[in-house]
Amino acid sequence: QVTLWLKKIYGNQPIPQYEVNARTVDILYELVECNEARDRDVSLLIEDMKQKATEYEAEASYIQGLLAESLDLSLSSLSSEGSSYLDVLVNSAMTLETKDTSLASFFGAINDMTSELYATESKNREMELELSNIKKKITAALMLEKRLEEDLKKTEELLEVEKAKADSRSQNLKFLKDKSKDLKIRIKAAEEELAATGLDRSLTHESLVSLSE
């Protein structure tokens, strides 16, 4: 069965060489079944389309005969203007998706389309209003973002200034601490030197201040 299918597929051309084993035969057999199933589906579809074409032709012949019998009209007897009007009528009916070309069907379809048009326009207005609100919110958000960026920049500049001041104060504090430490050392040295010369402790500045109090 696989060999017959390959011959059918390739026709007069030679079948390509392939390794014949259980796996390759199984795969080719599955392809045969899929191909045959597809061919059957296509054949059924073709037959259905032929049947519909026959039905449409029969219906068209019936309607043409009805027009010729009741109104003495045929496509060949219509003027170019009449054919044009008939085409417009048919196209309008197809566009409006009416079941026939009666005025009632046209009016019903036009009313439905008008209602749909009004609903669509109303929806468009709502969407435009919503879009306008979104644009306003976006504009406000962008302005707020710009102000925040400006505030952040000013804050960073202020922090730089304060940092410079803090560094300066830190340097001054270190200088004062070093100076204070140096003065204490010098004071202690001076006191020791004065004590070595026999200075009376009651004459020191601290003793005199206490005595004054």
Side-chain angles (χ1 to χ4, degrees):
Q1 187 175 356
V2 170
T3 302
L4 291 175
W5 178 73
L6 289 174
K7 289 181 178 180
K8 177 182 175 183
I9 293 296
Y10 286 97
N12 297 328
Q13 298 179 1
I15 299 175
Q17 295 294 327
Y18 65 94
E19 182 180 353
V20 179
N21 55 45
R23 176 172 174 75
T24 56
V25 172
D26 288 341
I27 293 174
L28 289 173
Y29 184 73
E30 291 180 1
L31 290 176
V32 171
E33 290 186 330
C34 292
N35 185 263
E36 290 179 348
R38 186 189 62 182
D39 289 344
R40 287 193 298 269
D41 292 339
V42 172
S43 298
L44 291 174
L45 181 60
I46 292 173
E47 291 299 324
D48 182 63
M49 294 180 68
K50 287 181 178 179
Q51 179 66 28
K52 287 183 178 179
T54 303
E55 293 175 358
Y56 290 149
E57 289 177 358
E59 187 175 357
S61 298
Y62 170 74
I63 294 175
Q64 188 172 358
L66 187 63
L67 290 174
E69 180 181 351
S70 59
L71 301 177
D72 194 22
L73 286 177
S74 66
L75 292 178
S76 59
S77 65
L78 288 176
S79 63
S80 59
E81 187 177 7
S83 298
S84 176
Y85 287 154
L86 184 60
D87 290 338
V88 171
L89 185 66
V90 172
N91 291 331
S92 300
M94 294 180 64
T95 301
L96 295 173
E97 297 181 354
T98 60
K99 63 180 181 179
D100 52 41
T101 57
S102 64
L103 286 177
S105 296
F106 275 114
F107 287 151
I110 291 172
N111 286 335
D112 291 341
M113 292 192 69
T114 302
S115 299
E116 185 178 352
L117 176 62
Y118 286 155
T120 303
E121 289 178 346
S122 177
K123 186 66 175 179
N124 287 341
R125 286 193 294 269
E126 292 178 1
M127 293 181 65
E128 287 176 357
L129 179 60
E130 184 178 357
L131 180 61
S132 177
N133 292 333
I134 292 175
K135 286 182 178 179
K136 290 180 181 179
K137 291 180 181 179
I138 292 176
T139 301
L142 292 175
M143 293 179 63
L144 177 60
E145 181 183 7
K146 185 177 180 180
R147 287 200 301 269
L148 290 175
E149 288 178 352
E150 293 176 351
D151 293 341
L152 179 61
K153 184 178 180 181
K154 291 179 180 179
T155 303
E156 290 175 348
E157 292 175 352
L158 181 61
L159 286 175
E160 289 293 330
V161 173
E162 293 297 327
K163 184 176 181 298
K165 291 181 179 179
D167 292 341
S168 176
R169 290 169 183 165
S170 177
Q171 292 177 359
N172 291 336
L173 179 61
K174 184 177 183 302
F175 171 77
L176 292 175
K177 285 182 178 180
D178 293 342
K179 192 67 175 178
S180 175
K181 184 178 180 180
D182 179 63
L183 289 175
K184 286 181 180 179
I185 293 173
R186 292 173 62 183
I187 288 172
K188 184 176 181 181
E191 288 179 345
E192 292 176 351
E193 183 178 354
L194 290 174
T197 59
L199 175 67
D200 187 357
R201 299 296 300 178
S202 63
L203 298 179
T204 63
H205 176 72
E206 184 178 357
S207 298
L208 293 175
V209 170
S210 299
L211 180 61
S212 173
E213 290 177 350

